[in-house]
Each structure stands twice: as structure tokens, then as C-alpha cells.
Amino acid sequence: MNTHKKHGFWHRYFFSLDHKDIGFQYMLTIFVMVSIGGFFAYVFRMHLAYPEMEVPLFGLVTNKDYNMLITNHGLIMMMWLALGMLLAVAGNYLIPIMIGTDDMAFPKLNKLSYWFFLISVILMISSFFMKRGGFGGGWTMYPPLSVGDFGYNTAYTSFKDRFFTANTFVLLAITFEFIALLMGGINFFVTTLNKRAKGMTLTKMPMIVWMINIASVLFMFSVGPLIAGAFMLLLDINAGTGFYDVYRGGDPLLWEHLFWFFGHPEVYVILLPPLGIIAEIISTNSRKPLYGYKFILNLTLIAAILSMMVWAHHQFVSGIDPRAATIFSIFTIIISLPFAGIILAYIATLWNGDLKINLPMKWAIGAITLFTLIGGFTGLYLGASVFDIYAHDTSFVVAHFHYTLFPTVIFGSFAAFYYWFGKFSGRELNKFWGNVHFWLTFIFFNGFAFPLFLLGLAGQHRRIADYRQFEFLMQDPLPLYRQIATISAVILILSQFIFIFNFFWSLKRGKKVTSDNPWESNTLEWQTASPPPHGNFAVYPEVHHGPYEYNHPDREDDFLPQNKK
Amino acid sequence: MEYSMIHTKQKPPVSSSVLGVIMAIVVELMFFGGLISAFVLAQAGQVEWPPSDQPRLPFWFTFGNMLILLVSAYFMWMAIKNAKEGRKSYALFITLFLGILFFLIQGYEWMRILLFGMETSHSLFTSFFYTIIGLHGFHVFIGLMLLGYVFYKIKQLKEKDNISNYILTVGIFWFFVVALWPVLYYLIYWVR
Ligand code: HEM
Ligand SMILES: [Cu+2]
């Protein structure tokens, strides 16, 4: 076994090949990105509710600033927070240890993946400081807006002028990030197939391992066309090609297809890991086996395949043939069935359980509740093209995707943090502040996102910097709704500081954990020291049971670790 | 290490590096799939293809070059087979040589077309031509680097299985690069 040596700063934060260290590097980098994304949200929300105000810490928001802020908020949250946290961080921390091995199949590739991610972050941040300002073409980057201020008129600009623009840098950043995530995903997949502990058959793997792997593979299948599209857009900006230029026979709709062919599967790439996290937490904390392990798996695979056939539901008003729209509507509505099945299985898991309502459990239940009742449900309405033609590009859509993304990405990540923090740091997060954090987040998230439904139904278009130009949108009570949303959003953002302080304080000063298996869970990560040593296990485990054997009738303890005979 | 399921020393049915390269090829297929479908759709929307004011692409010349690439795949296959049986052979070297030859000839052709005055910005056709062929060229380049690396690496290795695994891994990637070319050739040079 590897000896446990103390390493210096550079090793820990830059060169280490240990999967846990790389996970930690990803995590810190993502914290930086989220802070930027959150700050942007604060600024433009303030501007929407109080358009004449000079926003504290920013100043007056011009229309151009506004575009830049919402664009980069969306990009950072979707690409760097959601994908990064749920694939890279969760995958790096959890996969090797939960399948009972020492590290990834390719540790060096893993390291390289983080470096690419770091480059992408640097490119992204430098894009804010370009001479012509940050990128403002919307997170979906539709051309010709995303081709930049110069448009397709190349006559008076030099290559240098066009290369050193935010547009170029954002596209490069995304390309680098995707390459990073692909290297990570290949690593997860190969590690899972080839490095499982003895006895860990595929159906004895914890659900989260499955979910991250399915998400990674789905990512691999869907991201190619987007990278192709982004490359073509990059050439349109820098090499004078005209792929998306109508005047030269190109077609801007092509981008929408390539983007959403990836974009819709992406939302499932984002959704699946939190579903896995929730599965771990609710099974352990209701002291019951996960209901329908194989049923959930099959439904997930079906959903993953279907998710590649629904993309055009984002394009119902982009000039799509109504016959095609109907087909995409039908598929979109069908795809909610497997998810309904998965959620039902989760409810069945909780049903009659010996529920332990601790912090991870609160986040997990909060996540499924909000996601199902509001996020998924409104998605069904949007999926029907007849409704969507009215609701498209209004705040209703913004509310829908916040109700899907926030519960999964944010609640899901927090569930994971509160669940696994003790394991990976050896210290406990403060429970009191944890509870305060949960309730503030839960209440003010709803306070922020719910009014957007009402605003959207009243006809409030999204991506408009200043609603004062529309009289009907300034009538009571719409400005009030906007203010409720903004004030809630500000409190929501401020409450996250509680978590940040709790996190870093506990990392250094928190109470040492008293048990290696505080939740009395079965999976392998709980059967080793906290924090796990380099190499994860003192003795490599041999697996005899499935991950969810709680309350086994023939046993005295109500749990049965996977590696116990 | 890379070989064994940890502590059981049991060989996984497919080695990690081969699995990894297969997954990478999945991504590549989707990537080129995106490009090709964009190309096919763009082409379908035009009245005249390729536009009549464009220089004609060197049809037979490139056809000959394609044969070189296909032959290189044959030698790649030989290399894999020989390595599996533990025999030393020049097959890998010949593959590398033919690959470089293909790459150089393709580069020469590009230079000629460029000098002819066909620019990326001329039309949708030229845009697609340079993008798709260029990206394939880039993959050939990566393939050559990998071949070169493996060629150098296996000199230091003793174990037969290990050598054969390296060659198989790079071979799969090379097959992908080779197999892609006839498809692109058909779509871009042939269809008119
Ligand atoms: C039951 C499942 C779901 C259905 C039926 C559904 C349906 C839709 C539809 C039809 C739209 C397009 C609305 C428009 O632009 O007019 C949309 C937008 C969106 N959805 Fe969903 N959705 C579902 C789940 C999710 C999930 C799980 C996520 C993320 C985790 C998500 C994230 C988004 C995002 C980000 C957008 C907006 C994209 C944009 O235009 O900026 N959705 N959804
Ligand atoms: Cu969608």
C-alpha cells in the first residue's frame, strides 16, 4: 500500500494524480466560477427590478452590460457549474472509491483533464476583458448574434481584431472544457468497467456510479455535433467562412440544430448524477433498499436514448415544419414517462421507511419535490407546441428551467456536500448553520423563481434589459413580482455565504468525525478511513452484497456493508 | 498495472486503453456525423453543386492518394496480427511511412488548390471543403503522432502482451482515420 506522505501546496493543488485531489481542484475552480455567475445574476436581477438604480458594486447597467451579464451567467452555470460539479467533481470523488479501487484507470489523463478545465476557465474569464466587452449573444449562442459586433462584414477588420474578441474566447473556452470533460468521462467509463473490486458485479454498483457513467456516455454521444458547430462558428468569426451566413447560402438554423442536439441531452447529463446522489441518500436514510434498482436503470437508459430525439422542442418558433413539431412534441411528452417512473420508485423507497430527516435528506427530498412538482410538470406544458408558441422565450421558460436546474444542480450538490463532507475531509459541517442554509435556500429559491411563471404568462419576454418601454408590463402587479423575485434572489445569493463559511471553516476547524460510517451506509466509501488515505483502502475490499441491503430480515443490524461476509 | 483488475490480477476482457480509444472514437464519429449532416443539408439546399465558378477538385489524384491510405490500413492490420503472435515485423513502420506519404501528398494538393485561388470564404462549398478535409487531415496528423509514439515506445517494452496492446490501441484509431476518408472522398469529391 502507498505510504501517506505530506505534500506541499503545489502538489496538492496542481500536480497530484490522486482522484480525490483532482476532485478537490475541480471543486475549488468551480467555486470561483459560481461566484462570478452568482454575482452576475445579482447585478442583472437588480437592474430588472430597479432599472434606474446604480447597482451597488457594479454601477449603472447598460443594455450591452445586461446582455453580457445574462449570457455569461447562463454559460457559466450550465457549462462550468452544472457539468463540472456533477460530472467532474462527483465522478472524481465517488467513482473509484465506491467501486473499491485505488484510483482512475488513467490518472495522468485525469490530471490533463483538470488542466484543460483550468485553461477553459482562464479563457472564459479573460473573455470578459476584451476590448469590445464580454460576450453578449445569449448562452445558446445563436448566430448571427454570436458572430460578434462585426457580423459577417469582414471587409474592414483584421484577423487580430476578430480573434481577440469575447466571441472567439468563449468558443475556445467551451471547446477546451468539453475536451476536459470528455477525457474525464472516458476515464470514468473505463475505470468502472475495468477496475471494480472483486465481487462488484455491474448490478452491485451503487446507483450514483451508474448514473455518472450513463451521463458521461450520453455526453459523449451528444457533444460531437456541438463541437463541430462551435468549430464552424469559430471559423465564421475568424476565417471568413459562411456556414451560418444566409447571404452566402449558409443557414443560422443549422446552429440551432447542432446546439440543441447537444443541449437537450445535456439537461439529462445534468439531471442523472443528482438522481444518483438522491438514490444513495434516500435509501440509506429511510433504511430501506432502493425500490426497483433494475427498473430505475432500464428507465434511465430509455430516457437517455429518447433524450437525443427531442431537441427541436426548443425550436418550435424558429420556423419548423408543423409536422416535425408534432413529432418532437410527442417524443418530448413521452420522455417524461421514464422520469415519472424513476420518481415513483424513489417515493416507493421512502414509503413506510424509517425516515431519518437529516440534512442530506432535506436537500434530497427538497430536490425531488421541486423538480417533479414544478420543474418537470411545466416542461410537459412547454413540450406541447401549441402552448410553447405562446410561452417560448418568456419568463415562463426561465422559471421552468430554474425549477429543473436549481433543484438538481444546487440542491443535488448540497445534498452530496452534506452527505459526503465528513467522509472526504474527516470533519463535520456545522448542523445548525446547515439547517439555516437549507431553509433560506429553499424559501428564497421559490420566492425568486415562482413569480417568473406569473410574469411569463403575463407576456414578459426574456432577454429584455428594460421593461419600461412596454406599458403593459409596467402595470400592477408586474413590477411588484419583479421586485419580489429580485429581493428573494439577493437573499438567496447571500445565504450561500453561510455555506461557504461553513465549508471552509469546517474544513480547518470543524469537529472531527467520530465514526467512519455515520449514516450506517452499506457502500464501500464508508468502510474505509475518513479521510480515505492515498489509495483509498488499507485492504482492498471484496464485495458480497448489493449496495442497498438495509433491514435485512435475517440480520440484527439494520445494515449490511457491501464488503461484509 | 493498467491490465489487471486490481488485486485479482484477472485480465479484463477488453484492456483499458482499447476501451478508452473506442469511446474516443464514439465522440469522433458523432463529431464528424455533425459535420457531414451539416454538409449534406447545406448541399441539398443549393441549386448548383459544386458552384460552377469553383476550380474542379483533383478527382483522380486524390483517388490515388486514398489507395495509399487504404494500403496503410492493411499494414496496420498486419502489425496488429504480428504483435499478437509475438513476431517482430516492419508492418508498423510501413504504416507510419504510408501515413506520412498520404499526409504530404494531401498537403501538396491543398497548396495547389490554394494557389489556384480557391479560398475558404468563397462559398459554402469551399468553406465545407477546407473545414472537413482539414479536420480529417488534423486527425491523420494526430494518428501519425500516436503511431510515432508507439513505434518508439514498443522498442523499450519487453512483454509481448504489452506491446500488442499498444499496437492494437493505436491501430483502432488508425482504422478509424482510414475508414473515414472514403466516406469524405465520396461526399466531397465524388458527388456532383
Ligand atoms: C419532463 C422533462 C422536461 C420537459 C418535457 C422539458 C421541456 C422543455 C421545453 C419544451 C423547453 C423549451 C421551451 C422554450 O424555449 O420555449 C425547455 C427549456 C429548457 N429546459 Fe426543459 N424540459 C424538461 C426537463 C428539463 C430538465 C431536467 C432540465 C435541466 C436539468 C431542463 C432545462 C431546460 C433549459 C435550460 C431550458 C431553456 C433553454 C433556453 O432556451 O435557454 N429541462 N424544456
Ligand atoms: Cu429540451
Side-chain angles (χ1 to χ4, degrees), chain A residues 298-316:
Chain A
N298 289 331
L299 289 179
T300 311
L301 291 171
I302 293 172
I305 293 166
L306 279 176
S307 80
M308 303 178 85
M309 302 191 251
V310 299
W311 76 90
H313 65 210
H314 295 272
Q315 296 159 248
F316 286 150

Side-chain angles (χ1 to χ4, degrees), chain A residues 402-456:
Chain A
H402 279 87
Y403 266 107
T404 51
L405 289 163
F406 206 93
T408 52
V409 180
I410 308 281
F411 280 45
S413 303
F414 281 137
F417 277 126
Y418 285 101
Y419 189 61
W420 277 293
F421 186 89
K423 173 49 63 186
F424 288 104
S425 68
R427 292 171 189 273
E428 280 173 16
L429 283 171
N430 182 303
K431 289 207 185 68
F432 172 77
W433 289 111
N435 272 306
V436 175
H437 173 221
F438 171 74
W439 285 111
L440 287 176
T441 306
F442 188 86
I443 294 168
F444 289 101
F445 164 66
N446 285 293
F448 143 67
F450 202 81
L452 300 184
F453 281 126
L454 307 175
L455 285 163

Side-chain angles (χ1 to χ4, degrees), chain A residues 30-296:
Chain A
I30 292 171
F31 280 170
V32 173
M33 287 310 260
V34 188
S35 315
I36 299 173
F39 176 71
F40 285 2
Y42 149 77
V43 177
F44 68 71
R45 256 328 317 171
M46 288 297 279
H47 175 68
L48 284 177
Y50 307 103
E52 55 290 276
M53 183 197 231
E54 278 194 34
V55 180
L57 299 179
F58 188 87
L60 211 58
V61 179
T62 62
N63 291 356
K64 200 171 167 195
D65 290 338
Y66 178 82
N67 288 344
M68 179 266 181
L69 292 169
I70 55 158
T71 299
N72 288 293
H73 166 78
L75 278 170
I76 287 176
M77 294 307 194
M78 286 300 273
M79 308 297 188
W80 277 270
L81 165 66
L83 289 176
M85 193 63 99
L86 298 170
L87 289 180
V89 178
N92 266 305
Y93 266 110
L94 299 177
I95 288 181
I97 195 165
M98 288 182 97
I99 61 172
T101 186
D102 57 342
D103 210 322
M104 292 289 174
F106 310 112
K108 283 187 191 139
L109 189 68
N110 206 16
K111 177 80 280 185
L112 198 63
S113 140
Y114 172 71
W115 283 348
F116 268 66
F117 189 79
L118 192 62
I119 295 175
S120 82
V121 165
I122 293 169
L123 285 169
M124 186 65 188
I125 293 180
S126 38
S127 85
F128 307 152
F129 302 105
M130 291 296 143
K131 205 164 75 201
R132 308 184 129 255
F135 179 50
W139 84 274
T140 50
M141 303 180 281
Y142 286 5
L145 275 181
S146 50
V147 178
D149 298 359
F150 305 114
Y152 276 105
N153 179 8
T154 50
Y156 307 107
T157 52
S158 63
F159 174 72
K160 209 178 114 215
D161 277 349
R162 299 172 75 85
F163 185 80
F164 288 97
T165 51
N167 312 51
T168 306
F169 273 59
V170 166
L171 286 169
L172 286 177
I174 289 175
T175 311
F176 269 86
E177 200 223 346
F178 286 175
I179 295 173
L181 292 179
L182 286 171
M183 293 195 271
I186 290 176
N187 227 332
F188 299 160
F189 186 74
V190 175
T191 308
T192 312
L193 281 189
N194 277 2
K195 291 194 74 177
R196 273 168 289 129
K198 194 170 175 190
M200 175 74 85
T201 56
L202 286 178
T203 47
K204 287 205 176 100
M205 295 197 309
M207 195 46 91
I208 174 76
V209 177
W210 268 109
M211 289 293 187
I212 297 178
N213 273 294
I214 299 175
S216 300
V217 173
L218 182 57
F219 182 73
M220 288 178 213
F221 270 96
S222 58
V223 79
L226 175 66
I227 298 183
F231 188 73
M232 282 149 70
L233 188 53
L234 206 57
L235 292 181
D236 269 13
I237 299 172
N238 290 296
T241 56
F243 294 114
Y244 305 115
D245 182 5
V246 195
Y247 292 102
R248 273 179 287 169
D251 188 355
L253 270 181
L254 172 63
W255 169 265
E256 292 188 25
H257 284 290
L258 295 175
F259 184 88
W260 287 116
F261 183 81
F262 161 75
H264 193 86
E266 183 199 1
V267 307
Y268 295 114
V269 172
I270 289 170
L271 172 64
L272 297 185
L275 284 183
I277 292 169
I278 292 169
E280 300 305 318
I281 291 174
I282 60 174
S283 172
T284 305
N285 287 313
S286 52
R287 317 306 297 164
K288 272 179 68 189
L290 186 67
Y291 183 89
Y293 181 97
K294 287 194 182 148
F295 172 70
I296 295 178

Side-chain angles (χ1 to χ4, degrees), chain A residues 313-390:
Chain A
H313 65 210
H314 295 272
Q315 296 159 248
F316 286 150
V317 295
S318 306
I320 190 175
D321 185 324
R323 283 163 300 185
T326 311
I327 293 172
F328 280 104
S329 269
I330 292 170
F331 271 117
T332 303
I333 291 165
I334 291 177
I335 203 178
S336 46
L337 292 176
F339 285 110
I342 295 173
I343 300 292
L344 282 177
Y346 285 5
I347 294 173
T349 308
L350 292 167
W351 199 260
N352 262 337
D354 174 11
L355 296 190
K356 305 251 180 301
I357 304 292
N358 45 32
L359 267 170
M361 195 65 164
K362 282 181 191 156
W363 289 104
I365 294 180
I368 10 184
T369 316
L370 294 179
F371 172 76
T372 327
L373 289 186
I374 308 186
F377 207 57
T378 50
L380 273 175
Y381 284 89
L382 291 175
S385 55
V386 274
F387 178 80
D388 187 61
I389 288 170
Y390 177 74

Side-chain angles (χ1 to χ4, degrees), chain A residues 101-102 106 182 186 189-190 193-194 198 220-221 224-225 227-228 231-232 235 239-243 248-249 254 261 541, chain B residues 2 5-8 12 14-17 19-20 23-24 26-27 30-31 34-35 38 46 120-121 124 127-128 131 135:
Chain A
T101 186
D102 57 342
F106 310 112
L182 286 171
I186 290 176
F189 186 74
V190 175
L193 281 189
N194 277 2
K198 194 170 175 190
M220 288 178 213
F221 270 96
I227 298 183
F231 188 73
M232 282 149 70
L235 292 181
T241 56
F243 294 114
R248 273 179 287 169
L254 172 63
F261 183 81
Chain B
E2 206 184 271
M5 282 209 203
I6 195 148
H7 78 110
T8 56
V14 185
S15 83
S16 294
S17 52
L19 259 183
M23 290 320 284
V26 165
V27 180
M30 291 308 292
F31 174 75
L35 280 174
Q46 311 295 314
T120 47
S121 54
L124 209 54
S127 299
F128 271 113
T131 307
L135 280 169

